[in-house]
């Protein structure tokens, strides 16, 4: 019997997914996987190669060829053997990643890699389409949201980049693109639990998710 447990955390940029997903994974001893980092890694490669992130064929080739690895127990990401943990966090890469991630061939390639990562053990994976597309049978699905102003505030605090209005505008633009793209748009899976973190502390969000996990684990059902 397959007892792998997948916890899917989806939601818009700046809702607090990464911090919470990492903490939940730590608490449960699961592997944390940041699927957005994979789209970012492809975008970084494109920028370095001076390729257009909207160029379907080239981006598909990069996504298929990219060797993306996560260092277990840390947030380090490697692209083709190089540590790109910091390099993928710039504003330029954020914007290019949003464009790259709308390309169906790129998504196909990365979703395949994500599913393979999920086969290897218990994981907490965060992104936009984890509960809706990548792991539709995930044991626990959370859609983590927060008010756009609060998401912009958190991003500024987290990255120390730019002013809040500019960040808010960029987040709005990325959200719009992520929600309206034809391929795997950001949507709440019908069976996902909606969590609004605007007025919650990280501890409260973590506790709410752990409660869902405990409830799911104790009802004797099988897990994906
Ligand atoms: O979560 P993030 O900001 O690091 O994601 C970077 C971009 O990748 C963002 O524009 C949304 C996209 N993305 C996606 O389309 N699907 C995912 N599963 C994760 C991220």
């Amino acid at each position: 019997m397959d007892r792998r447990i997948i916890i899917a955390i989806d939601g818009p940029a700046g809702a607090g997914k990464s911090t919470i997903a990492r903490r939940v994974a730590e608490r449960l001893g699961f592997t944390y996987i940041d699927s957005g980092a994979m789209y970012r890694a492809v975008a970084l490669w494109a920028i370095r190669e001076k390729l257009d992130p909207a160029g379907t064929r080239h981006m598909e080739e990069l996504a298929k060829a990219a060797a993306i690895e996560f260092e277990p127990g840390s947030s380090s990401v490697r692209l083709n053997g190089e540590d790109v943990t910091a390099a993928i966090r710039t504003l330029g890469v954020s914007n290019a990643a949003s464009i790259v991630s709308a390309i169906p061939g790129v998504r196909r390639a990365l979703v395949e890699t994500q599913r393979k990562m999920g086969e290897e053990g218990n994981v907490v994976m965060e992104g936009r389409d984890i509960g809706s597309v990548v792991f539709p049978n995930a044991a626990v699905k959370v859609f983590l949201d927060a008010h756009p102003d609060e998401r912009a505030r958190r991003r500024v605090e987290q990255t120390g980049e730019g002013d809040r209005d500019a960040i808010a505008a960029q987040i709005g633009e990325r959200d719009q693109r992520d929600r309206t793209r034809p391929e795997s748009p950001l949507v709440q899976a019908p069976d996902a639990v909606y969590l609004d973190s605007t007025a919650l502390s990280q501890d409260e969000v973590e506790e709410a998710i752990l409660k869902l996990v405990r409830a799911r684990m104790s009802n004797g059902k099988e897990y994906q």
Side-chain angles (χ1 to χ4, degrees):
M1 187 168 33
D2 190 352
R3 302 290 289 178
R4 276 176 311 120
I5 301 169
I6 309 255
I7 298 172
I9 302 182
D10 292 298
K17 299 186 301 291
S18 300
T19 310
I20 291 303
R22 197 177 298 122
R23 286 173 59 157
V24 168
E26 229 164 71
R27 284 281 294 271
L28 297 169
F30 287 16
T31 303
Y32 161 66
I33 297 169
D34 171 5
S35 66
M38 301 170 75
Y39 292 94
R40 287 172 178 272
V42 173
L44 173 69
W45 199 2
I47 291 170
R48 286 178 170 178
E49 298 291 329
K50 301 200 170 24
L51 293 170
D52 177 7
T56 312
R57 196 170 54 83
H58 278 145
M59 292 310 107
E60 215 177 304
E61 280 169 12
L62 291 193
K64 280 189 191 153
I68 301 167
E69 297 158 292
F70 293 94
E71 212 138 293
S74 86
S75 328
S76 296
V77 190
R78 298 181 87 80
L79 169 67
N80 303 327
E82 177 196 344
D83 188 332
V84 294
T85 314
I88 60 168
R89 295 293 155 196
T90 65
L91 220 46
V93 172
S94 298
N95 292 328
S98 170
I99 296 167
V100 162
S101 66
I103 299 172
V106 170
R107 303 202 68 86
R108 268 196 302 276
L110 297 188
V111 166
E112 196 184 314
T113 311
Q114 288 153 14
R115 288 188 176 142
K116 278 192 192 130
M117 290 172 168
E119 275 165 20
E120 285 162 20
N122 298 330
V123 300
V124 179
M125 195 176 293
E126 56 128 324
R128 303 294 189 287
D129 61 340
I130 309 306
S132 57
V133 174
V134 184
F135 295 113
N137 298 321
V140 175
K141 298 184 190 181
V142 174
F143 191 88
L144 190 62
D145 205 355
H147 189 280
D149 290 347
E150 175 62 11
R151 294 196 277 121
R153 193 195 64 74
R154 290 178 190 170
R155 264 293 140 98
V156 171
E157 195 178 83
Q158 200 178 43
T159 60
E161 257 179 0
D163 65 281
R164 194 163 141 182
D165 289 348
I167 298 275
Q170 252 144 6
I171 285 186
E173 210 177 290
R174 284 174 55 203
D175 274 1
Q176 175 69 5
R177 204 161 32 220
D178 294 344
R179 286 181 201 270
T180 56
R181 66 181 177 221
E183 180 87 4
S184 305
L186 168 65
V187 285
Q188 182 183 345
D191 53 348
V193 174
Y194 182 86
L195 250 182
D196 182 348
S197 73
T198 310
L200 299 179
S201 68
Q202 288 182 351
D203 284 348
E204 288 169 322
V205 178
E206 181 185 322
E207 210 33 62
I209 295 176
L210 288 173
K211 214 162 133 184
L212 289 171
V213 176
R214 281 186 218 111
R216 189 71 177 80
M217 284 171 146
S218 59
N219 74 1
K221 286 194 187 159
E222 280 180 42
Y223 308 109
Q224 143 102 9

